[in-house]
Amino acid sequence: MLLLVLVLGVGGVATYRFQVADDLLDDWLGPREAASPAEVAPPDGIELGAVEQPSPLARPAVAGQLDPRAVRRVLEPELRDEDLGPHVLAAVAPIAGGAPVVVRRGSATAIPASTTKLLTSLAALAALDPDTGFETRVLQQPDNGSGPARITLVGGGDPLLASRPVEATGEGEETRWPPRADVVTLAKETAAALAVEGRPAVRVSYDDFLFTGPSASTGWEPGYVPDGVVAPIGALWVDGGRPENGFGRVADPARAAADEFVAALRRAGVRVLGEPEHRRAGADAAPLASVTGPTLRQLVEHLLLVSDNETTEVVLRHVGLAVAGTGSFEAGTAAVLEVLADLGVPTTGARIFDGSGLSRENRLRPETLLGVLRVAATHPREDLASLLSGLPVAAFSGSLTDRFDTGAPEGRGRVRAKTGTLTNVSSLAGTVTTLDGVPVVFVLMTDKVAVEDTLEARDALDEAAAALGACRCAGSS
């Protein structure tokens, strides 16, 4: 409750209509950073042995069917909680196939909030190479070899490009996951290349023209960008468009990135003349230096784990580029639905205006989210399963770290799910294994929650998911 009070009072934003409450302060302070499991120290007094390759399981996990009556018997009492409001949708199905058990109270679609990220993630993994990272380059314009060199910083849509190298532990391992590329390293490589050419002075420009169209979704509340809830979405920024100090977002992320790059060049001994100019790199510009960010697979796991809105919107633009040749919100959302339909995901009734779920205009059936999870789990392309490995674990990681403290204890560690929260909206979509060993996918959605019941509704959904983990719901195959 204290955290809720803090949200409602930050920066004089009073209620802000609780519009972007996914994990409460995360949108303002930035998504919490995730250490890799190897970096989590064991408790004092416990020594862990070396990790060994496990032996094969004695038998595979049960892939059987669910007993619909058992599922309803467990789920329906949880979904009658008054804190959930009058519009509640749920769908549960075995991962291996079979008809879903659907529970509805109200219309067939609901506002999905951040569970929308599941759609964007699956489409990106399917349409792009999951093992490729996005490159930030420095190009040099041709000249006669005298005078200052003309170089251009070109954004390639790396959403996690950093303003400086990530601090390392004593063992040299990075403290943040996934690893970041940074403009300081890029500046040092640029300085070294210029030194080889004997060019101590440069003029710098910056190019963020990879993406097109508005930098904010037409489905977003007008105050999202000016109030610093989300950065203007572009192909070049550092630190997710956040300022070095304080809250919110910078007004011009591309220029802020260029300024950081110029400052790093100067520290590397390069004389930079004038201010950076905003212009396209020439078609005849030659590569001078580059850094490559995390792979798409890592980005998907990151954005799902910590519900990173900016990273998701950049990934959406890349999906638009890959499918339609245009990196805009409009092209990206259309491409996501096209790719999902091609994968066999049911998209009837789906309307999306962004990739992250910040838009209150988005509408999804629970069957669409269920289909996304099923495809990720069963598709012959195993790299699509990165969607599942990125899901937070109940009471353990990411946006579920501080949740599942009520309800059946079997839910803790057994449920993996993406959260979604906006004003009057709470959702949860993911996987759980029932107590009798049936792996299932589930979706829980409600979008008419009273503001004062926000935290209670979130707990009610956690309890419903935990009840599935404690359920003996196996049916005959």
Side-chain angles (χ1 to χ4, degrees):
M1 188 58 68
L2 176 60
L3 192 56
L4 176 60
V5 172
L6 288 173
V7 171
L8 299 181
V10 167
V13 194
T15 62
Y16 204 80
R17 298 187 304 285
F18 221 64
Q19 292 288 4
V20 278
D22 205 2
D23 308 312
L24 303 178
L25 286 178
D26 281 356
D27 285 321
W28 228 287
L29 302 177
R32 70 182 79 190
E33 297 294 347
S36 68
E39 296 164 358
V40 178
D44 292 340
I46 295 179
E47 295 184 4
L48 300 179
V51 176
E52 298 180 359
Q53 182 67 29
S55 59
L57 294 174
R59 59 181 177 83
V62 177
Q65 298 300 306
L66 292 174
D67 180 347
R69 292 171 299 177
V71 172
R72 289 181 181 276
R73 190 164 54 246
V74 166
L75 204 55
E76 287 182 343
E78 303 288 348
L79 299 182
R80 284 197 290 268
D81 190 314
E82 292 183 356
D83 292 323
L84 293 173
H87 187 208
V88 182
L89 307 177
V92 182
I95 283 180
V101 179
V102 179
V103 178
R104 286 197 179 97
R105 192 161 73 243
S107 62
T109 64
I111 301 171
S114 276
T115 56
T116 306
K117 292 180 173 73
L118 294 169
L119 278 67
T120 308
S121 297
L122 183 63
L125 291 168
L128 303 163
D129 181 354
D131 294 317
T132 295
F134 302 115
E135 191 176 42
T136 304
R137 300 176 296 157
V138 175
L139 304 182
Q140 183 173 357
Q141 303 298 134
D143 58 23
N144 59 12
S146 62
R150 293 183 298 133
I151 62 174
T152 305
L153 174 66
V154 182
D158 175 4
L160 295 185
L161 184 67
S163 59
R164 54 185 53 84
V166 175
E167 294 181 4
T169 66
E171 293 75 31
E173 295 180 354
E174 292 184 330
T175 58
R176 288 190 297 176
W177 184 92
R180 271 72 158 162
D182 67 273
V183 293
V184 170
T185 299
L186 182 60
K188 289 179 178 178
E189 292 185 5
T190 302
L194 291 169
V196 170
E197 296 182 6
R199 309 291 291 271
V202 297
R203 294 190 182 276
V204 176
S205 58
Y206 61 100
D207 178 340
D208 65 340
F209 297 104
L210 178 66
F211 301 151
T212 57
S215 60
S217 167
T218 57
W220 286 353
E221 294 292 312
Y224 279 3
V225 171
D227 289 346
V229 172
V230 62
I233 305 303
L236 175 63
W237 62 31
V238 290
D239 304 332
R242 292 175 172 82
E244 183 175 0
N245 298 301
F247 301 120
R249 309 295 191 273
V250 298
D252 187 346
R255 175 58 190 266
D259 287 341
E260 291 283 357
F261 175 67
V262 165
L265 277 177
R266 287 173 171 150
R267 291 195 298 271
V270 177
R271 186 159 56 95
V272 181
L273 307 178
E275 297 294 319
E277 298 183 8
H278 189 207
R279 63 172 62 175
R280 291 182 183 274
D284 54 353
L288 190 65
S290 66
V291 290
T292 302
T295 65
L296 176 65
R297 186 196 308 269
Q298 292 172 324
L299 290 176
V300 164
E301 292 179 341
H302 161 81
L303 71 87
L304 291 174
L305 185 66
V306 299
S307 203
D308 187 331
N309 293 322
E310 277 89 359
T311 292
T312 310
E313 298 300 353
V314 171
V315 169
L316 178 81
R317 300 291 192 99
H318 282 297
V319 176
L321 278 173
V323 175
T326 303
S328 66
F329 274 99
E330 183 177 6
T333 52
V336 164
L337 293 179
E338 178 184 335
V339 172
L340 295 182
D342 289 344
L343 289 171
V345 174
T347 58
T348 301
R351 295 173 55 214
I352 57 172
F353 291 82
D354 64 8
S356 65
L358 286 174
S359 174
R360 298 184 63 82
E361 303 301 316
N362 293 347
R363 293 292 186 277
L364 292 177
R365 292 174 178 262
E367 293 90 337
T368 297
L369 290 164
L370 209 66
V372 166
L373 293 164
R374 271 181 155 178
V375 167
T378 62
H379 198 277
R381 277 189 55 182
E382 294 183 359
D383 50 18
L384 301 188
S386 298
L387 181 145
L388 300 180
S389 59
L391 293 176
V393 179
F396 180 75
S397 65
S399 59
L400 290 183
T401 300
D402 302 320
R403 292 178 57 166
F404 282 77
D405 54 345
T406 61
E410 288 86 352
R412 298 166 203 160
R414 298 171 68 88
V415 173
R416 301 194 68 154
K418 180 69 197 78
T419 56
T421 312
L422 292 170
T423 310
N424 314 118
V425 179
S426 192
S427 55
L428 200 62
T431 67
V432 63
T433 301
T434 66
L435 207 56
D436 45 9
V438 181
V440 302
V441 289
F442 71 91
V443 179
L444 307 171
M445 307 174 76
T446 177
D447 62 1
K448 294 188 183 299
V449 178
V451 172
E452 62 269 22
D453 294 333
T454 297
L455 297 180
E456 290 78 5
R458 187 190 72 175
D459 289 343
L461 292 188
D462 291 353
E463 290 168 8
L468 290 172
C471 178
R472 294 189 180 277
C473 297
S476 58
S477 300

